Amino acid sequence: MISDGLLAPASQNMPCLPLQESLKQTSLYDFHRHHGGKMVAFAGWSLPVQYTHSHLESHLHTRQHCSLFDVSHMLQTKVFGRDRIKFIESLVVGDIAELKPNQGTLSLFTNERGGIMDDLIVTSTSDQHLYVVSNAGCRDKDFALMKNKVKEMKAAGCDVDLEVSDNALLALQGPAMARVLQAGVSDSLAKLPFMTSAVMSVFGVPGCRVTRCGYTGEDGVEISVPASRAVELAELLLKDSTVWLAGLAARDSLRLEAGLCLYGNDIDESTTPVEASLIWTLGEVTSGCPSPCLQKNIAMGYVESDYSKLSTALTVEVRKKSCPALVTKMPFVATNYYTVK
């Protein structure tokens, strides 16, 4: 799954804020409180940073078993109309027209200078619309970008319309995901490889869009579910003792181990897609935390190209102290996405 501005407690750039009034709440807010979620303010939303288990326990459980995350704060939009491909390709990098039915791809909104405005997943559904998921922290600018482009294209006689979905979004992540979810769906999940999507009934909840993707590096799905039945579905998934609830802290350290970029830290409007593909041009650490799996500190950042060769020894400054570092291949922890063999 794409980055959504998550931040591990170890990061010094944008720590999680204390809970404030007037924050938006997902449809699972009371559910989180009931299950011991420690709520914090993030991107204008009240979200759980962790539950009764520690950050370390939650992280390792996701790698070894399965965890459930509430990612309903993400912006979900649908693009309709004959010119929907033309519309999205005018805003993002990538060849959306070549996607097969129900296939998705990671893409980027870019500005006129080629800087990254946000990262997102675009799925070309078999229901004659595009399903787009983008970051909560960029929600307002993403929607304004798309809305203005729709207005411009409609004025030019194009057929395109935009609809914001009010569905909740649940991410079930970890090696036990397929076994847990298979008990609640009729079709074989073996037919749903990484970055593909299908609408199905999940544990009796109809009309769910299940996309095999995630932001942890593990095999997983994101389930777009009608908001009115999100709590019901979450409780049904938790009936399997393998499934734990997990929050923002574990999600951030998991994505960093998997080498997945965080918008606002590792990529932003000053970063081009070429640079984000690890052709680094600056000397700056953008994300870092202790790796629960590797039991050592890891970080992503930018270095001058002369120092970007694997196994190059570097020195980084952490809280005004010099620490040795080594350039290494990413991801730090191997990903386990499900692909058709």
Side-chain angles (χ1 to χ4, degrees):
M1 181 46 212
I2 62 180
S3 64
D4 59 356
L6 298 181
L7 203 56
S11 175
Q12 298 300 302
N13 297 325
M14 190 196 312
C16 292
L17 301 174
L19 197 60
Q20 302 172 2
E21 294 183 2
S22 73
L23 293 172
K24 289 178 281 190
Q25 299 176 359
T26 74
S27 56
L28 290 100
Y29 175 81
D30 291 334
F31 166 90
H32 296 314
R33 298 293 294 268
H34 175 74
H35 286 276
K38 180 182 178 183
M39 310 303 287
V40 298
F42 171 73
W45 294 80
S46 176
L47 295 169
V49 67
Q50 66 182 68
Y51 293 85
T52 54
H53 299 287
S54 71
H55 165 225
L56 179 61
E57 290 173 322
S58 183
H59 177 111
L60 293 176
H61 184 85
T62 308
R63 288 271 183 255
Q64 297 162 3
H65 302 287
C66 191
S67 294
L68 182 66
F69 302 81
D70 177 16
V71 291
S72 304
H73 58 301
M74 307 286 278
L75 175 62
Q76 301 176 71
T77 53
K78 297 179 181 179
V79 185
F80 298 91
R82 182 180 60 254
D83 297 305
R84 60 188 182 277
I85 300 296
K86 179 180 178 181
F87 162 82
I88 201 69
E89 288 192 342
S90 72
L91 299 175
V92 305
V93 299
D95 191 354
I96 307 302
E98 291 302 311
L99 291 177
K100 298 176 182 178
N102 294 318
Q103 182 182 19
T105 184
L106 177 68
S107 195
L108 304 166
F109 286 131
T110 54
N111 59 27
E112 294 179 354
R113 299 180 303 279
I116 300 171
M117 297 181 66
D118 196 10
D119 54 330
L120 64 150
I121 288 179
V122 181
T123 299
S124 182
T125 76
S126 58
D127 299 322
Q128 303 303 305
H129 71 266
L130 301 175
Y131 172 58
V132 180
V133 181
S134 56
N135 292 317
C138 300
R139 187 183 186 98
D140 291 342
K141 72 174 182 180
D142 287 352
F143 184 64
L145 178 72
M146 291 187 284
K147 186 177 179 180
N148 289 338
K149 178 57 70 169
V150 165
K151 183 178 179 180
E152 175 188 318
M153 290 184 65
K154 288 174 85 70
C158 294
D159 177 28
V160 61
D161 285 291
L162 189 67
E163 175 186 301
V164 176
S165 171
D166 60 0
N167 276 11
L169 193 62
L170 300 176
L172 187 64
Q173 300 285 302
M177 179 281 297
R179 179 191 60 77
V180 171
L181 190 63
Q182 188 62 75
V185 299
S186 57
D187 285 344
S188 172
L189 292 176
K191 301 176 183 177
L192 193 74
F194 183 59
M195 294 305 287
T196 61
S197 176
V199 175
M200 62 185 74
S201 177
V202 181
F203 286 99
V205 179
C208 296
R209 177 167 290 280
V210 178
T211 305
R212 202 158 196 165
C213 67
Y215 195 43
T216 63
E218 295 297 328
D219 185 21
V221 293
E222 291 187 351
I223 307 170
S224 182
V225 53
S228 62
R229 304 194 68 176
V231 171
E232 175 187 351
L233 180 55
E235 294 285 12
L236 288 167
L237 290 168
L238 287 178
K239 285 186 175 181
D240 189 307
S241 61
T242 306
V243 181
W244 285 11
L245 290 169
L248 296 175
R251 190 164 150 83
D252 190 57
S253 54
L254 288 161
R255 71 90 192 168
L256 183 52
E257 283 188 343
L260 301 173
C261 287
L262 165 65
Y263 192 84
N265 279 34
D266 310 301
I267 53 176
D268 57 30
E269 292 197 34
S270 67
T271 314
T272 68
V274 174
E275 292 167 344
S277 297
L278 309 186
I279 302 177
W280 309 119
T281 59
L282 305 172
E284 177 184 359
V285 174
T286 55
S287 288
C289 75
S291 166
C293 291
L294 301 178
Q295 298 185 6
K296 62 178 67 175
N297 294 326
I298 58 174
M300 291 198 294
Y302 295 86
V303 298
E304 295 179 5
S305 57
D306 291 344
Y307 303 100
S308 64
K309 187 177 179 180
L310 294 181
S311 300
T312 300
L314 301 173
T315 299
V316 297
E317 185 179 286
V318 180
R319 300 184 183 91
K320 298 184 178 180
K321 292 177 61 177
S322 294
C323 301
L326 195 70
V327 176
T328 186
K329 186 177 180 180
M330 291 197 298
F332 300 103
V333 174
T335 58
N336 294 298
Y337 304 129
Y338 173 75
T339 56
V340 176
K341 301 295 188 285

